[in-house]
Amino acid sequence: NDCGDRIMSQDKAFTMEVRDDGVAVITIDVPGESMNTLKDSFAEEVGSLMNRLESDDSVKGVVFISGKPGSFIAGADINMIDGCENAVDAESLARKGQAMFDRIEQLNVPVVAAINGACLGGGLELAMACHVRVCTDNSKTALGLPEVKLGLLPGSGGTQRLPELVGVQQGLTMILTGKELRAKQALKAGLVTEVVPQSILLDVAVEHALKRKPKSTKPPLKGISKVLEATKFGRDIIFKKASEQAQKKAQGSYPAIDKIIQTVREGVERGREAGLDKEARSFGELAMTPESYQLRQIFFATTEMKKETGADGVKPDSVKRVGVLGGGLMGGGIAYVTAAKAGIPARIKDIAEDGIRHALHYSYERLDKKVKRRHMRRAELEKTMLMLSGSLDYSGFERTDVVIEAVFEDLNLKQKMVADVEEHADESTIFATNTSSLPITQIAAKAKRPEQVIGLHYFSPVDKMPLAEIITHPGTSDKTIATTVSLAKKQGKTPIVVKDGAGFYVNRILAPYMNEAARLLLAGEPIEHIDKTLVKFGFPVGPITLLDEVGIDVAAKVAPVLVKELGDRFEAPEAFEKLIDDDRKGKKNQKGFYQYGKSVKGKPVDTSVYSLLDIDPNESKSADEIIDICLLPMLNEAAYCLQEEIIRSPRDGDIGAIFGIGFPPFLGGPFRYMDSQGLETIVNKLEKLAAERGERYTPAPLLKQMLENGWNFYQ
């Protein structure tokens, strides 16, 4: 054999080939999977390879490389944790991973990780156990430890090795946020030794493997980091600041944050052995927390959804070109995610050149930021911008596969857009409307091809919000659904398919929550008290802040649509009229419930709103009361949506609420939250509030039926 000895087996994830130059190349290729993930069963495989390497004097170096194109190791298999019955079982998993990676680190020959694509979680922990890391300049190459997003900490040495490699401050930031570094960022941080083109990755890795085994190196610290990390006093400042910053966002709801800081600190102050012991114990404890359980369920749900087409048994058509109608904020955002994330050319039509210019500039700004942050090269920016074009007429639209409309919320205008696209585009072109409130059935009412009309509702800002609602009317074809779902996924969205109806799903469950917050304000509860209470509960922003951000005028327009279609429980407080009359639209015109402007420090309330609404602010409700008053109508409406088949499953309802309105992820979404609280508790609270505050709190029939039958949303 020209390549030397080979240890291979069809069902193995790790295969080793010893080259004639003495370098053992270990290829990671998990059978039957599109990406590599580490499993508990691999410990034995790696162990047998280590036995061979430790006893073979002819091996001069080792290279770990992936057999999957565009991916090194995406992390560990999270299913392993679900198989653990208690904290000791989970701790044992961590210790097994630590031992496996310790053996790699302790090999007497140079060990090199050749990284191309995603190198995350357990993948990065394996790479950090190697003596040298070389990565490609591929745009998909990313290194990070995202365990905190699952309510966990890195359990196989990551809390100890990352701070050793990049410094305590940088290491803590990466572990606490789950932040990923691109190739050039990783090089600058000292996490990788070299960045090379993919074509020579193995060659360069082999060169490093044939060099002398490198000694441990201190992180390349500069400036203030170097000063702070040199003394215990300085490190105390780093840990204190890291805790303050992380908890400001987490509001004490994520136990992983304190555990991460304590574990990193243990290793820094008492040595790696003590740090690894603390890491394993903390991993076991966190794996058993309800927060981690719920966050893992979200991960499983989104992974499951990635495999679905939205229409069982129907394959999507290929989308090669997209048209976008409207160059405003939404249109610009849609064009950006189409070109930059999906890699599909987008043609923007607007009635004015300024609209097209705005949309193109929107994309350029975002791409330019990525270049400055070393997330992409200037050449990639230019290539992406070439995929965007504009027009004042429908020229070029005859070649589009999907046209996405993002014009004003006016039924006649949207119906005209359908007619225009049917006239100027191909007969197979899908018309997707980004309406947030108008029924799709009405938009499709005059269409020649209603089966190709569908709702594709994005959330603002489009480039950041992960959800897309795919709204079907009774005539929408399965092929249209599957193709639209596929496009949304390519744009980086998590799509949920919902049935047509006023407010669809997300806005429908959001409206009663916002209305009750407004009623509390009108009854005298201070704006900060309401907002801070719901942020402490776990929402990213409070409901009054959200009103300012969404636009008070937008909320006022949506309310009558919901009342007309769904009834009196959606009746909004009359105060909206006074706010609109005073030209208070919120953040967009710098006039709402809060103060805005360059001279304004912090986020103070605009107290003039109290006199406008004849309010004498005074705290009278406890935090628990405010939570129940605002949250329970949202939960109740989610149950109505499931009952009316607006959403297809509790899973879709939970993902929609978390990704669409920021329902606290660690609580699992409205349906998992109701299960955890108990439906008897939810129904009793609703009935009590119905007696105190009005019939709009009357429990949905589905909730009462489920309670009577002893059912849960998730069995």
Side-chain angles (χ1 to χ4, degrees), residues 36-89:
N36 290 322
T37 54
L38 297 175
K39 303 179 192 294
D40 186 31
S41 57
F42 295 166
E44 190 175 335
E45 277 188 54
V46 176
S48 64
L49 291 177
M50 291 302 108
N51 290 340
R52 165 86 189 272
L53 291 169
E54 287 163 354
S55 61
D56 190 344
D57 292 337
S58 68
V59 172
K60 295 177 178 155
V62 178
V63 171
F64 279 93
I65 195 166
S66 170
K68 308 281 187 196
S71 161
F72 182 66
I73 300 174
D77 184 354
I78 307 303
N79 285 295
M80 292 189 297
I81 299 171
D82 277 19
C84 297
E85 293 183 4
N86 50 49
V88 174
D89 289 347

Side-chain angles (χ1 to χ4, degrees), residues 388-451:
L388 295 166
S389 60
S391 174
L392 297 177
D393 56 26
Y394 284 96
S395 60
F397 273 67
E398 69 277 0
R399 295 183 295 156
T400 56
D401 301 300
V402 177
V403 173
I404 305 169
E405 164 274 307
V407 299
F408 296 114
E409 290 288 272
D410 180 281
L411 180 60
N412 292 329
L413 177 60
K414 289 180 187 287
Q415 286 179 340
K416 184 180 184 303
M417 296 293 102
V418 175
D420 286 353
V421 168
E422 287 184 328
E423 181 184 346
H424 294 98
D426 190 81
E427 286 188 3
S428 63
T429 300
I430 291 169
F431 182 93
T433 171
N434 179 52
T435 181
S436 59
S437 59
L438 295 171
I440 311 302
T441 308
Q442 293 178 21
I443 293 171
K446 298 179 182 178
K448 292 177 187 174
R449 296 184 286 275
E451 69 278 4

Side-chain angles (χ1 to χ4, degrees), residues 317-601:
D317 283 339
S318 174
V319 176
K320 295 175 182 173
R321 291 181 184 84
V322 169
V324 179
L325 302 180
L329 191 64
M330 293 302 290
I334 294 165
Y336 170 74
V337 296
T338 303
K341 296 193 177 180
I344 298 171
R347 188 160 179 81
I348 306 148
K349 181 192 176 297
D350 199 277
I351 57 172
E353 287 184 2
D354 278 351
I356 295 168
R357 197 177 296 116
H358 171 272
L360 294 174
H361 184 64
Y362 184 95
S363 287
Y364 180 82
E365 273 189 325
R366 275 140 194 82
L367 294 168
D368 192 45
K369 276 184 185 175
K370 288 192 171 189
V371 171
K372 287 174 180 174
R373 292 174 182 170
R374 303 189 178 200
H375 283 194
M376 67 161 46
R377 289 170 293 185
R378 178 66 55 179
E380 289 177 75
L381 176 150
E382 291 167 0
K383 181 182 174 184
T384 305
M385 288 304 298
L386 287 172
M387 285 194 279
L388 295 166
S389 60
S391 174
L392 297 177
D393 56 26
Y394 284 96
S395 60
F397 273 67
E398 69 277 0
R399 295 183 295 156
T400 56
D401 301 300
V402 177
V403 173
I404 305 169
E405 164 274 307
V407 299
F408 296 114
E409 290 288 272
D410 180 281
L411 180 60
N412 292 329
L413 177 60
K414 289 180 187 287
Q415 286 179 340
K416 184 180 184 303
M417 296 293 102
V418 175
D420 286 353
V421 168
E422 287 184 328
E423 181 184 346
H424 294 98
D426 190 81
E427 286 188 3
S428 63
T429 300
I430 291 169
F431 182 93
T433 171
N434 179 52
T435 181
S436 59
S437 59
L438 295 171
I440 311 302
T441 308
Q442 293 178 21
I443 293 171
K446 298 179 182 178
K448 292 177 187 174
R449 296 184 286 275
E451 69 278 4
Q452 287 159 221
V453 178
I454 194 167
L456 177 47
H457 181 211
Y458 300 92
F459 295 80
S460 187
V462 179
D463 57 305
K464 291 182 180 175
M465 295 297 283
L467 187 73
E469 284 182 307
I470 312 291
I471 308 114
T472 65
H473 64 88
T476 307
S477 72
D478 284 350
K479 179 68 78 174
T480 297
I481 295 169
T483 303
T484 309
V485 166
S486 174
L487 173 60
K489 286 179 183 175
K490 287 175 182 173
Q491 291 171 328
K493 303 301 170 192
T494 298
I496 60 167
V497 178
V498 304
K499 198 168 76 173
D500 194 18
F504 314 130
Y505 173 66
V506 172
N507 284 344
R508 179 168 165 179
I509 67 169
L510 182 62
Y513 167 80
M514 304 277 268
N515 284 344
E516 294 310 323
R519 286 191 177 94
L520 282 170
L521 168 60
L522 292 170
E525 291 300 330
I527 290 168
E528 312 99 299
H529 183 44
I530 298 168
D531 273 356
K532 285 179 181 177
T533 296
L534 273 307
V535 168
K536 180 71 176 171
F537 179 74
F539 282 96
V541 295
I544 309 298
T545 297
L546 190 57
L547 259 176
D548 260 7
E549 291 185 356
V550 168
I552 298 165
D553 57 329
V554 174
K557 283 179 184 175
V558 171
V561 176
L562 295 172
V563 173
K564 182 182 175 184
E565 298 288 328
L566 300 168
D568 292 344
R569 72 176 183 273
F570 282 88
E571 196 74 55
E574 292 179 6
F576 278 123
E577 293 174 17
K578 286 186 179 179
L579 295 165
I580 299 300
D581 290 343
D582 194 46
D583 195 34
R584 289 180 189 260
K585 295 179 182 177
K587 195 173 183 179
K588 68 173 79 171
N589 75 335
Q590 307 278 285
K591 191 176 180 184
F593 294 102
Y594 286 90
Q595 294 180 40
Y596 299 96
K598 291 181 180 177
S599 61
V600 177
K601 291 184 179 180

Side-chain angles (χ1 to χ4, degrees), residues 11-43:
D11 59 350
K12 296 277 187 184
F14 290 77
T15 55
M16 185 168 77
E17 174 187 308
V18 181
R19 297 161 39 116
D20 289 340
D21 57 13
V23 174
V25 177
I26 298 175
T27 302
I28 311 157
D29 196 345
V30 180
E33 302 287 343
S34 60
M35 297 185 88
N36 290 322
T37 54
L38 297 175
K39 303 179 192 294
D40 186 31
S41 57
F42 295 166

Side-chain angles (χ1 to χ4, degrees), residues 3 10 31 37 40 53 64 99 113 119 162 263 265 307 365 397 403 448 474 533 581 605 673 688 702:
C3 294
Q10 297 232 323
T37 54
D40 186 31
L53 291 169
F64 279 93
C119 177
L162 186 61
T263 303
R265 187 168 200 154
K307 301 171 186 174
E365 273 189 325
F397 273 67
V403 173
K448 292 177 187 174
T533 296
D581 290 343
V605 168
Y673 180 71
K688 183 172 180 286
L702 177 63

Side-chain angles (χ1 to χ4, degrees), residues 168 172 227-244 261 265 268-269:
V168 175
L172 263 179
V227 173
L228 288 173
E229 296 190 22
T231 65
K232 185 179 184 306
F233 176 76
R235 291 192 296 271
D236 286 345
I237 293 173
I238 290 172
F239 288 119
K240 184 172 182 288
K241 284 291 179 189
S243 179
E244 286 173 359
I261 293 170
R265 187 168 200 154
V268 170
E269 294 180 353

